[in-house]
Structure formats: structure tokens, C-alpha cells
Amino acid sequence: MGSFEVIEHEKDPKGEQGKFRIIAINFVDPEFVKIDAETDVDKGTLLDVQDGKAFLNKKLIGRVVEKKDGKSIRVSTSFDIKYTGGYSLDGKTVYLDEHFPQIMKIDGKEVDARESIGLHHELPEKWLSDEAYEYPYAHEMATGIEKKYVESLGVKWKDYCDEVDRNLRNVYSRKLEKSPSSLDLAPYLYCRDQEALKEIRRSTTK
């Protein structure tokens, strides 16, 4: 499966002595794994995951108990999405506003927003939200994953953010006309963004 960066670790939720629960993400593909481990590791540690087993410096430390990836995820660009990106309640679809450019040209390179925003931000954010992490934390972690993906393309993060912000202004200036009925409203509810919620509900397609 490849190299995974630890983004969360804790003592085993079941209370087993000497056991730890680790969440790690491969930001390139992207992939998510939940690992039951006998060794605690710090955030930022890189683990090698192969055949359902997790290794640290070639030493077996645990086994994968859950895995998610973006291979079967659909990226939809057919709707208006408040604040540009979102995801469905079931996590099988990520949304990118139809008015946001799918391909951004940055310093001579092309960045596919369906990958950078859709699969490397919105999708990991949904994965973490489904693990009961609060929205601000999930959003912060997802932004870090998006950043690492963008930089892996040889694009400077600041240049990328400048281009994204330029396009966001165009999206934000538009009134929603067709929001997807399956859109997960959790981020808007957490932020108590009543105006956004009203606009989304008013424009939701049947």
C-alpha cells in the first residue's frame, strides 16, 4: 500500500492494556487506514503498510483494521456548492462547485482541483468527521494533506492558495441555484452558518 503518515494516535478505545489505535493517511493516493498497534507512535511518523500490516523501521507494530481509499469515490462538478467543496452524507461522492475551474494553471504546471480539493481535502475531511473528530480539527488536518499533495506536484503552496483564492471570489459571489440533496451539512451546522443553511436548503434539488 505504501507510506502512511500518522495523523492521530490514542490508547485503545476498548481499554486493552498496551494497545493503541492509530489513524494514518497516504496523502498521495489518498488512502486512510486505522491500525491496532502494540506500539504508540507520534503524529507525523511515517509507517509502511503492506498486506494489512503496519511497519515502523521494518518492525511490525500492528495490523490494519479498517481501510478507505479514493478509488471508488465519485467527484461531482454538477452542482452549486457553498464555499466550493463538500461531500455526500454517505461519503461516496465529493463535490466541487461547477463554477470552480477543474484545472488550474499555476507557475507553468496544471493542478486538477478535483484531485487537490476534492480527493485530497474534502475526502480526508469526511473520513475524519466520520471518526467523530470535530469539524475544525478535521478541516485543519485535511488542509495539511492538501498542502502535501500540492507540494508533491512541485507547486508552491502560496502560489496554489493565491490561485484558489482568486477563483473562490468568483464562486462566493454567486447565488446557489442547485445544491445536491445528499450534501452533508455537518460543517455548516457546526459553524452555525444559518444563512448558508437557508441558501442550501432553498436551492436543494429533488
Side-chain angles (χ1 to χ4, degrees):
M1 291 172 66
S3 180
F4 286 72
E5 182 175 330
V6 175
I7 61 170
E8 193 56 74
H9 62 120
E10 61 182 1
K11 290 184 179 179
D12 186 88
K14 298 176 183 177
E16 287 191 47
Q17 195 70 21
K19 298 286 186 179
F20 301 90
R21 173 63 53 83
I22 296 169
I23 292 176
I25 286 183
N26 175 343
F27 68 86
V28 176
D29 287 333
E31 293 176 294
F32 164 106
V33 290
K34 188 184 294 183
I35 300 164
D36 279 352
E38 297 180 358
T39 301
D40 194 15
V41 292
D42 294 329
K43 288 183 183 180
T45 300
L46 293 179
L47 302 178
D48 185 42
V49 177
Q50 299 290 341
D51 300 322
K53 300 175 183 178
F55 299 86
L56 176 62
N57 298 326
K58 298 184 179 181
K59 178 184 177 181
L60 178 66
I61 65 165
R63 298 181 183 277
V64 175
V65 295
E66 185 178 351
K67 171 184 173 293
K68 300 177 184 178
D69 60 49
K71 294 176 183 176
S72 62
I73 302 300
R74 185 170 72 95
V75 180
S76 171
T77 58
S78 301
F79 295 94
D80 298 322
I81 305 298
K82 193 68 175 178
Y83 308 136
T84 303
Y87 33 80
S88 61
L89 281 164
D90 63 11
K92 295 180 180 179
T93 303
V94 293
Y95 298 105
L96 181 70
D97 187 277
E98 67 173 347
H99 303 291
F100 194 95
Q102 295 179 22
I103 303 296
M104 296 179 287
K105 293 185 178 180
I106 305 171
D107 196 24
K109 297 182 175 66
E110 291 189 348
V111 178
D112 191 331
R114 292 165 296 186
E115 285 281 343
S116 63
I117 296 175
L119 295 179
H120 290 85
H121 182 105
E122 299 300 335
L123 183 58
E125 183 178 291
K126 174 61 173 172
W127 287 340
L128 292 171
S129 295
D130 285 349
E131 291 296 319
Y133 292 107
E134 290 190 338
Y135 170 72
Y137 180 79
H139 179 75
E140 179 185 349
M141 291 296 102
T143 300
I145 293 164
E146 179 184 4
K147 180 176 185 288
K148 288 179 180 179
Y149 172 73
V150 167
E151 290 177 340
S152 76
L153 303 176
V155 175
K156 293 181 180 178
W157 179 242
K158 183 182 183 304
D159 293 343
Y160 171 81
C161 289
D162 288 345
E163 181 64 17
V164 169
D165 289 345
R166 186 178 69 81
N167 288 290
L168 286 179
R169 286 194 289 272
N170 175 50
V171 173
Y172 286 4
S173 68
R174 295 175 178 271
K175 194 174 185 66
L176 300 183
E177 294 182 0
K178 50 176 181 176
S179 298
S181 59
S182 63
L183 183 66
D184 190 339
L185 300 180
Y188 311 98
L189 290 167
Y190 182 90
C191 297
R192 299 180 181 178
D193 193 337
Q194 297 302 322
E195 289 303 314
L197 287 165
K198 286 179 184 177
E199 192 175 356
I200 292 168
R201 287 165 175 155
R202 188 167 52 240
S203 62
T204 296
T205 57
K206 302 297 183 181

